[in-house]
Structures are given as structure tokens and as C-alpha cells.
Amino acid sequence: MRPACIEVVMKTVKPDLSQGLLSELQCPGCMEYMLPPIETCMNGHNICSKCKPKLKECPACRKPLLNMRNFALENLTRKIDYPCTNRKFGCKETHSVDFIIDHQVTCVYAPFTCPFLKHNKCAWIDILKNLKNHLLECHSQDVREQNGETNLIINPESKELRGYKVMFAYNEMFYIYIQRRATNYYIAVTYVGKPENASKYGYKISFKKSESIESITVCHVSRSVNEELNKIFESGNCFKLPYDLLKRYVTCDGQLRYKLEIFEVSPVR
Ligand SMILES: [Zn+2]
Ligand SMILES: [Zn+2]
Ligand SMILES: [Zn+2]
Ligand SMILES: [Zn+2]
């Protein structure tokens, strides 16, 4: 058994060492803590790999930057825990060099832009927790809150061939992208949250011709909002049907109505 006094010494020394090392790891370019690879200038100042390609000279001494890594400092990064870059927004988590990036990607304190930034030029930015209230207050016409099922209407003849909606179901949020490209009609449902949870939800899209037995129903698994939309469209991991086929479902008032239902996918046994 280890003597009690050594235990005490180890616990008090480690945080100081960590703090000292962290201040050594502060990048002179972005002031964030550097993760490997760490490179240097000709005077030995360190620079992070995000800043280096953007800089012509060392921000500390104005001398040229070299293609030379500081392996000694990189090895020391294994000995400490990094505070999350969202600490200024309230995140108190710290993680080792191997896990800090994974945490930051899904950190609930990460600043989030409004999904209507591009479509309506909405400049809202805050943490994800506050997004639902903002959407309900400012974009209610494009938000559906019925649990799991809703009717969406598109005017297929309108010049605006892109549609964008937000839907809440199962206390989760989904972004719905609607697009006509050439002869095809695409609808992709993406899950907002940890990417590994996206496949827990599926969606069913149904078109039905009134007063007829004709109908189309397509089911897909939802994708992560972090995925590139073009890739989702091109890979076929979404609703995709020729517009000619869907034209049959355009109502006499010129709208294409469909029912979108989000459901939980039960694990395959
Ligand atoms: Zn930097
Ligand atoms: Zn320098
Ligand atoms: Zn965080
Ligand atoms: Zn907004």
C-alpha cells in the first residue's frame, strides 16, 4: 500500500503542473490550447496547426514559420486534461488530448446558429438549449410541433425550389430539407444532436391522392445534421422520387401536400 502522505502530494502537484503546461500550450495566434501537431517558428515559438496555414510569419517574433514539429511538447499534451473551447459559454468539462475534439463536436455549450441563417438571413446565435424557443418565437410558420406526425405543403410550381422546415418529435429536433433538382424531388430529414443517435429515428413520407386509392409511401432512417446535405442527396439516404411521378399528387390549388411522420426505430434483433 502507498503511504498516505504520497497520495496527498500527488493530488496537490498535478493541477499546478496541468495549469503550467496549459499556459505553455496557448497558441500565440488564436490563444486556444494547442493540440498535436504543434509546429514552430525559427526562434522556437510554437504555433497550432489551425493557425499555421493562415499565417505568413510567427505572431510572437515575426520570423518565418518552419515545417518542424515540437514532439517534446506534443508528448507532454498526453499528461494533461484540456478544458473545452466552449468554457466561455459555460462548459466545465475537461478531456484528455484523445477525447477533447469528440467532446467539442457534440458539446451542448457549443454556439449554434439559427437553421434559418441562409434561408431567412436570421443572425441568431446561442447555445442549442435556447434554440427551440427562438424557433417557436421567430419562425413558427416553418416549425411543426405535433409529436411525430405532420402535414407539410409545398407549392411545386413556385420558383423557390428549396424548402426548409424544423420538426420536433420525441423531445428531439429534426431539420427537413426539401429540394427539386432537375427531374427529381428530394426530402431529407436530419437529426440535430449526437450523430450516433440519428439512426434511432426513422421517417415515413406519404403522398395520397384525395378520393382515390392511389398513394406513395417511402420510409428512411434519419441522418445526422452534421452530414453534408449534398452527400445525403447523392447517396440516396433520403426520399428521392422523379417529379413526374409526384405531379399526380399536386392538388387543384397547385400544392403538393404530404404527411411526414417521424418514428423511433426499434433495434433489429
Ligand atoms: Zn492557433
Ligand atoms: Zn517566433
Ligand atoms: Zn464542452
Ligand atoms: Zn432564426
Side-chain angles (χ1 to χ4, degrees):
M1 224 173 93
R2 216 182 258 163
C5 58
I6 294 185
E7 290 275 340
V8 172
V9 169
M10 285 176 76
K11 276 177 190 157
T12 49
V13 165
K14 208 180 165 204
D16 286 353
L17 182 68
S18 250
Q19 221 35 60
L21 265 175
L22 272 175
S23 59
E24 285 305 311
L25 283 168
Q26 205 164 39
C27 169
C30 60
M31 306 314 282
E32 257 312 324
Y33 300 125
M34 292 181 278
L35 293 161
I38 299 169
E39 296 187 70
T40 67
C41 81
M42 61 184 290
N43 275 338
H45 296 119
N46 300 300
I47 189 88
C48 88
S49 57
K50 277 191 199 154
C51 288
K52 198 191 161 205
K54 298 182 215 153
L55 295 171
K56 287 196 173 75
E57 55 188 27
C58 170
C61 67
R62 308 263 163 244
K63 292 282 186 239
L65 295 162
L66 306 176
N67 286 325
M68 195 155 73
R69 280 174 60 182
N70 185 343
F71 287 108
L73 191 57
E74 285 184 21
N75 289 339
L76 285 173
T77 63
R78 308 222 153 266
K79 310 238 179 270
I80 53 154
D81 278 338
Y82 281 81
C84 171
T85 47
N86 299 313
R87 57 193 175 279
K88 46 192 171 293
F89 303 107
C91 183
K92 293 192 167 40
E93 289 202 32
T94 62
H95 289 277
S96 70
V97 64
D98 293 323
F99 295 103
I100 189 68
I101 296 281
D102 282 355
H103 161 74
Q104 283 164 184
V105 168
T106 54
C107 175
V108 292
Y109 289 94
F112 224 83
T113 53
C114 174
F116 293 97
L117 172 69
K118 274 192 202 149
H119 299 261
N120 298 3
K121 299 200 167 37
C122 175
W124 180 93
I125 182 163
D126 200 343
I127 58 172
L128 181 60
K129 194 170 73 141
N130 298 335
L131 179 56
K132 186 173 180 178
N133 278 348
H134 165 72
L135 290 169
L136 294 173
E137 267 170 34
C138 302
H139 307 283
S140 58
Q141 72 282 8
D142 290 314
V143 174
R144 299 292 179 276
E145 230 198 331
Q146 290 100 318
N147 206 16
E149 195 178 310
T150 187
N151 277 300
L152 296 172
I153 303 163
I154 303 164
N155 181 352
E157 303 307 328
S158 99
K159 283 197 183 106
E160 176 59 73
L161 299 179
R162 289 155 193 259
Y164 195 74
K165 306 279 173 199
V166 174
M167 190 164 160
F168 294 102
Y170 303 100
N171 289 322
E172 303 283 359
M173 184 162 52
F174 300 84
Y175 294 168
I176 303 154
Y177 301 89
I178 307 142
Q179 219 175 95
R180 199 167 84 199
R181 288 181 171 188
T183 55
N184 288 316
Y185 220 96
Y186 296 81
I187 304 170
V189 173
T190 61
Y191 170 82
V192 185
K194 288 192 172 176
E196 62 266 32
N197 289 342
S199 58
K200 289 183 184 167
Y201 299 94
Y203 59 97
K204 184 162 98 176
I205 292 177
S206 345
F207 294 85
K208 191 170 174 346
K209 219 164 148 67
S210 58
E211 292 159 22
S212 162
I213 58 156
E214 274 188 52
S215 69
I216 296 178
T217 298
V218 178
C219 281
H220 272 283
V221 176
S222 81
R223 308 295 299 184
S224 163
V225 76
N226 297 9
E227 262 184 84
E228 227 179 280
L229 189 59
N230 269 343
K231 283 197 182 141
I232 300 178
F233 284 165
E234 281 160 19
S235 62
N237 286 319
C238 65
F239 173 95
K240 175 188 173 187
L241 279 182
Y243 182 57
D244 260 4
L245 217 143
L246 292 174
K247 255 187 189 165
R248 301 175 58 76
Y249 297 88
V250 174
T251 56
C252 49
D253 56 357
Q255 289 177 334
L256 185 58
R257 287 190 175 83
Y258 63 91
K259 196 161 103 174
L260 171 70
E261 193 183 330
I262 290 177
F263 55 88
E264 284 179 297
V265 177
S266 29
V268 180
R269 284 160 204 263

